[in-house]
Every structure is written in structure tokens, then in C-alpha cells.
Amino acid sequence: MTQRTLVLLKPDAVRRGLVGQVLSRFEAKGLTIVALEHRTIDGEMADRHYAEHVERDFYPPLRAFATSGPLVALVLEGDEAIEVVRGLNGATDGRKAAPGTIRGDLSLSNRENLVHASDSPESAAREIALWFPALG
Ligand SMILES: Nc1ncnc2c1ncn2[C@@H]1O[C@H](COP(=O)(O)OP(=O)(O)O)[C@@H](O)[C@H]1O
Ligand SMILES: [Mg+2]
């Protein structure tokens, strides 16, 4: 089934000059970019995006990281895109993510792990409406 998913290339991806490389992986897989924006978010937007995590111990430094510089937000579309993109990204902790995944190949951190992707159809709908209201 064709799906859309919300992806962030987090501030570490922009700082490290990995935007092109990471986008290339999504494009090479056959996913279509249907929206894309370079943007710096404030704490309020971070709180909305990470609503499920705001009470967690790891949230304050995550909030600081998410607002630390520009990121690239995009919507990808393709067959089973939600699960496919989660698979391309790899496990949350870059130190444990499998080689061949974006995080496994390019991140050595469980916070600065380069990418975000929606984890379910419900999350994708909520996140796409949040980041790209015109598509929501
Ligand atoms: N234990 C942790 N320590 C530091 N940062 C974390 C930790 N767990 C998660 N994070 C950060 O919070 C983000 C959101 O967490 P989560 O939704 O669990 O992972 P994912 O991004 O793989 O869906 C992660 O991508 C990572 O940047
Ligand atoms: Mg998540």
C-alpha cells in the first residue's frame, strides 16, 4: 500500500554535510520526495514533534539538540514507506544499528542519530499535518 512518512534530517546531518548522502539513499530505494523544507525549529515545535517523549529523562538534551541548528524536513512516499524508511534508518542507537543502515553506517550516538521517521500510520498522519499543514 502506498504510504507517506515524515522524515527529518536532524541538525547533525546538516552540520556534517550528510544531507545529500542520506537523501540519495532514500531516492535510490525508489521513494519519492513529495515535500522538503530547510528549517530551524524552536522548543515549542520540538515539544509538539516529540510529544510522546517530553517527560522522558533524555528529552531536555534531545530538545536542545533538535533546536541547535537547521534541519531538513521532508515527506517521502512509496509502497510501505513507513516501515521501509524505518528499516533504512536502522535502530535508534547508532552504535547498535546494523551496518548498511543510515545510522549503522554514519552515526556513533544514540542522540545524534541523523534521522527521524514516523513509526506508524497514526504518527505519520500527525507528523505530516504538523510539519506540512498543506499536505495534512
Ligand atoms: N536513551 C537515549 N539517550 C539519548 N537520546 C535518545 C535516547 N533514546 C532516544 N533518544 C533520542 O530521541 C529520539 C526519539 O527517540 P525514539 O522515538 O525512541 O527513537 P526513533 O528516533 O528511533 O524513533 C531518538 O531518535 C534519539 O535522537
Ligand atoms: Mg520515534
Side-chain angles (χ1 to χ4, degrees):
M1 187 184 54
T2 300
Q3 294 178 327
R4 287 181 172 184
T5 188
L6 186 280
V7 172
L8 302 179
L9 310 184
K10 298 183 187 182
D12 55 333
V14 174
R15 272 195 287 274
R16 292 176 58 197
L18 295 174
V19 169
Q21 251 190 78
V22 175
L23 282 180
S24 284
R25 290 184 181 222
F26 294 135
E27 290 189 300
K29 184 68 174 174
L31 295 154
T32 303
I33 298 169
V34 298
L36 185 145
E37 187 185 13
H38 179 272
R39 174 166 169 186
T40 303
I41 62 167
D42 61 15
E44 195 179 317
M45 180 65 180
D47 294 349
R48 285 204 209 110
H49 175 72
Y50 284 122
E52 64 174 328
H53 295 316
V54 289
E55 303 300 332
R56 306 287 282 274
D57 289 351
F58 64 73
Y59 187 65
L62 173 61
R63 188 182 201 259
F65 166 53
T67 59
S68 66
L71 53 72
V72 175
L74 61 147
V75 176
L76 290 174
E77 182 176 279
D79 193 30
E80 303 296 334
I82 294 168
E83 190 178 338
V84 165
V85 174
R86 294 283 295 186
L88 292 173
N89 285 0
T92 302
D93 187 337
R95 297 167 301 190
K96 296 179 182 151
T101 65
I102 292 164
R103 288 162 167 172
D105 288 350
L106 302 171
S107 167
L108 195 57
S109 167
N110 64 347
R111 177 178 306 117
E112 303 208 6
N113 58 5
L114 298 168
V115 278
H116 164 86
S118 308
D119 64 7
S120 67
E122 296 71 29
S123 301
R126 187 187 75 82
E127 293 171 4
I128 290 168
L130 175 64
W131 287 86
F132 294 97
L135 288 183

